[in-house]
Amino acid sequence: MTLLIDTNVIMDVLGKREPFFQDSYAALHKCIKAETECLISVSAVTDIFYLLRKSLHSAERAKEQIEQLSQIVTFADVQAVDVQTALMREMPDFEGAIVDAVAERKRSDYILTRNVRDFSKSKIPAITPTDFLNI
């Protein structure tokens, strides 16, 4: 199984954001334990770094968190074709359309996100961490 993990789930885990931390952490743990391929789009990494740097007040600590993250996930490149695909998608959120395009190209089974509504027109089914824990 292959999952493309959305930024909000990663930030829930790294930032220990409540009330989402427990399910997001458990879903990520399940993904790793089941030897599921856990992908994060490269474009999300810059967003994650920015958010971590702000919350940690340290670029060095943010880099350390990204390094730790790189040990458990695979960074999926974003290609020009993904941007072109995203531009053709009827999705209100362009960032979500990029995630969807990368997930489709990488043949992901699911997009793991808390914002399922943003992916209502996605080619790849979106699933919340809570729902993922129940499958």
Side-chain angles (χ1 to χ4, degrees), residues 4-132:
L4 197 140
I5 305 169
D6 200 10
T7 302
N8 55 43
V9 174
I10 296 298
M11 288 308 301
D12 291 345
V13 174
L14 296 179
K16 294 185 172 124
R17 298 193 303 195
E18 293 298 344
F20 312 110
F21 171 75
Q22 194 64 33
D23 282 355
S24 292
Y25 177 83
L28 187 58
H29 187 265
K30 176 182 177 178
C31 194
I32 295 162
K33 188 176 176 181
E35 297 184 15
T36 297
E37 186 175 19
C38 304
L39 303 174
I40 298 175
S41 75
V42 169
S43 61
V45 175
T46 57
D47 296 339
I48 292 165
F49 175 81
Y50 172 79
L51 294 167
L52 285 172
R53 184 175 51 99
K54 258 179 90 172
S55 68
L56 298 171
H57 307 290
S58 167
E60 192 58 40
R61 287 177 59 205
K63 285 181 185 179
E64 290 169 5
Q65 295 260 337
I66 298 291
E67 174 60 34
Q68 290 173 358
L69 183 62
S70 74
Q71 303 301 312
I72 59 173
V73 302
T74 300
F75 296 130
D77 61 332
V78 176
Q79 299 180 358
V81 68
D82 300 321
V83 174
Q84 293 301 320
T85 299
L87 288 168
M88 293 185 293
R89 294 279 153 92
E90 293 183 26
M91 295 175 66
D93 178 49
F94 185 67
E95 183 181 357
I98 293 279
V99 168
D100 182 46
V102 172
E104 181 181 22
R105 183 174 50 80
K106 293 300 224 173
R107 299 186 177 159
S108 299
D109 296 288
Y110 296 103
I111 296 169
L112 189 66
T113 182
R114 278 192 294 101
N115 296 328
V116 173
R117 189 180 326 161
D118 286 352
F119 294 93
S120 64
K121 295 190 178 201
S122 175
K123 299 282 184 178
I124 304 299
I127 188 170
T128 66
T130 305
D131 291 338
F132 178 68

